[in-house]
């Protein structure tokens, strides 16, 4: 069973987060600050760390940096509150895998845990492979198959891992961004679901999606993912068959008013984790690029 270490100096917040984590089927451990969390990880390493940002002794940002240095394969999910947006962005760049606004914890945490847990399980089950790569291209076409996005993202994660292409923390970030992009192509592109519906807590967003999966023209649309891997970078081109949109109309995900919205979370993660994110003029195709830090460094293909 997946073990999650919850790090928060508030006993109330610990209980709320613990209930959400247990509801997701995970075991829970607790720490009151970053120092206590490091001791706990050193004694018995968990599968995931879920941490608050603002804590005494050692805050969430420093904890992410310390864990990245010592345990680069350990995913960290941030719990953010209003006023901590800048620190959250710095922590994501430092190596955190995802974030969840505290005011949306019960709804957002289960989604973030599912995404990170799928990657954790893929890491745990991987086989060691040594290969040499000049260039690789793959083309995938997805409909609305249950678990299709997770299966594809898990497969691509494994291929990159087997090639020793990125460290684990970078891989988790990359595949999280890829998962968000494919989900956007399906939900907002092919199914034309309005992002504002995600702010509602009545299930209307998902209910409308389930209806449209059965209705033309939505049911006939597909998402195409082109993956190109070279010695210097990995590139994903994700295309949907929807009507498109004006990319300039995307809200700024770093704006405090947008960062805590469910509809702004995906764009925030994608733009933070990748080196280049570009949309086609029509808006129904996005290109994602992540470069290797050093082609000729210690880790070679």
């Amino acid at each position: 069973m997946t073990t999650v270490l919850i790090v928060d100096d508030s006993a109330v917040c610990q209980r709320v987060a613990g209930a959400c984590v247990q509801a997701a089927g995970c075991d829970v451990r607790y720490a009151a600050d970053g120092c206590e969390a490091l001791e706990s990880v050193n004694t018995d390493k968990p599968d995931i760390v879920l941490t608050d940002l603002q804590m005494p002794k050692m805050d969430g940002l420093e904890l992410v940096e310390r864990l990245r240095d010592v345990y680069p394969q350990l995913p960290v999910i941030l719990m953010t509150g209003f006023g901590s947006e800048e620190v959250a962005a710095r922590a994501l760049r430092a190596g955190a895998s995802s974030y969840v606004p505290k005011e949306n914890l019960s709804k957002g945490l289960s989604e973030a845990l599912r995404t990170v847990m799928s990657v954790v399980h893929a890491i745990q089950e991987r086989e060691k492979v040594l290969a040499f790569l000049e260039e690789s291209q793959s083309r995938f076409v997805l409909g609305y198959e249950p678990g299709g996005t997770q299966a594809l993202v898990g497969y691509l994660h494994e291929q990159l891992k087997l090639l020793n292409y990125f460290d684990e923390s970078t891989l988790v970030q990359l595949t999280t961004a890829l998962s968000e992009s494919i989900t956007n192509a399906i939900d907002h592109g092919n199914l034309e679901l309005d992002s504002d519906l995600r702010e509602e807590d009545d299930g209307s967003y998902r209910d409308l999606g389930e209806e449209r999966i059965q209705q033309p023209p939505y049911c006939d649309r597909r998402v195409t993912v082109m993956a190109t891997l070279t010695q210097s970078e990995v590139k994903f081109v994700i295309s949907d068959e929807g009507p498109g949109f004006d990319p300039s109309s995307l809200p700024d995900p770093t704006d405090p008013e947008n960062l805590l919205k469910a509809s702004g979370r995906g764009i925030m993660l994608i733009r933070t984790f990748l080196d280049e994110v570009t949309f086609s003029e029509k808006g129904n195709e996005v290109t994602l690029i992540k470069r290797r830090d050093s082609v000729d460094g210690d880790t070679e293909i």
Side-chain angles (χ1 to χ4, degrees):
M1 184 177 291
T2 301
T3 300
V4 179
L5 174 63
I6 298 175
V7 189
D8 201 310
D9 59 317
S10 167
V12 173
C13 291
Q14 282 189 1
R15 288 195 296 270
V16 172
C20 295
V21 170
Q22 289 174 328
C26 303
D27 282 338
V28 183
R29 299 208 317 259
Y30 299 97
D33 55 56
C35 295
E36 188 176 320
L38 285 179
E39 294 178 2
S40 179
V41 173
N42 289 331
T43 301
D44 185 10
K45 187 165 75 73
D47 298 301
I48 299 171
V49 173
L50 174 66
T51 182
D52 188 21
L53 280 173
Q54 299 175 338
M55 298 179 294
K57 296 183 180 179
M58 181 188 296
D59 62 18
L61 175 58
E62 185 178 353
L63 176 61
V64 169
E65 294 170 339
R66 295 282 294 275
L67 289 175
R68 176 68 183 267
D69 290 339
V70 184
Y71 301 101
Q73 298 184 10
L74 181 60
V76 181
I77 300 175
L78 308 173
M79 294 184 289
T80 64
F82 187 81
S84 62
E85 297 83 7
E86 182 180 347
V87 180
R90 289 169 58 194
L92 289 169
R93 289 192 292 269
S97 301
S98 189
Y99 77 95
V100 180
K102 275 193 170 183
E103 65 179 27
N104 193 35
L105 201 61
S106 60
K107 183 179 179 181
L109 182 55
S110 60
E111 180 180 342
L113 279 173
R114 280 196 302 270
T115 300
V116 174
M117 284 168 61
S118 66
V119 177
V120 169
H121 294 159
I123 294 171
Q124 294 172 339
E125 297 171 359
R126 71 177 184 266
E127 296 178 356
K128 295 181 179 179
V129 172
L130 181 62
F132 183 85
L133 173 73
E134 290 185 352
E135 181 175 302
S136 174
Q137 261 195 354
S138 303
R139 181 174 183 269
F140 306 89
V141 180
L142 290 80
Y144 304 107
E145 301 83 0
T149 298
Q150 291 79 4
L152 175 57
V153 170
Y155 169 80
L156 292 171
H157 176 277
E158 284 300 283
Q159 298 309 301
L160 292 169
K161 175 59 187 178
L162 294 176
L163 292 171
N164 203 21
Y165 201 77
F166 294 118
D167 62 53
E168 288 295 344
S169 180
T170 301
L171 273 177
V172 171
Q173 291 185 339
L174 174 62
T175 50
T176 296
L178 179 60
S179 179
E180 293 285 349
S181 299
I182 295 174
T183 299
N184 285 344
I186 293 173
D187 287 1
H188 306 312
N190 285 350
L191 294 178
E192 299 181 50
L193 300 177
D194 192 330
S195 296
D196 290 341
L197 285 177
R198 297 189 69 180
E199 304 301 331
E200 304 296 331
D201 204 18
D202 57 1
S204 56
Y205 180 87
R206 188 49 51 195
D207 290 343
L208 181 57
E210 292 297 329
E211 290 178 14
R212 289 187 173 178
I213 285 174
Q214 309 298 326
Q215 301 170 349
Y218 314 104
C219 63
D220 298 319
R221 294 171 177 172
R222 297 293 180 265
V223 167
T224 300
V225 180
M226 288 290 299
T228 303
L229 188 64
T230 68
Q231 292 188 16
S232 59
E233 67 181 27
V234 59
K235 178 172 71 175
F236 299 104
V237 180
I238 303 165
S239 309
D240 64 68
E241 296 178 342
F245 72 103
D246 178 6
S248 66
S249 66
L250 283 173
D252 179 4
T254 62
D255 187 317
E257 292 186 1
N258 296 324
L259 185 60
L260 299 182
K261 294 180 179 179
S263 56
R265 176 178 170 275
I267 294 297
M268 171 67 172
L269 295 175
I270 293 166
R271 288 182 171 169
T272 300
F273 292 158
L274 298 168
D275 295 315
E276 287 187 25
V277 179
T278 56
F279 289 90
S280 64
E281 184 176 353
K282 185 179 177 181
N284 65 344
E285 181 177 284
V286 60
T287 299
L288 315 176
I289 294 177
K290 182 67 177 178
R291 301 185 185 91
R292 297 180 67 201
D293 290 336
S294 174
V295 178
D296 299 318
D298 294 334
T299 300
E300 296 183 352
I301 294 176

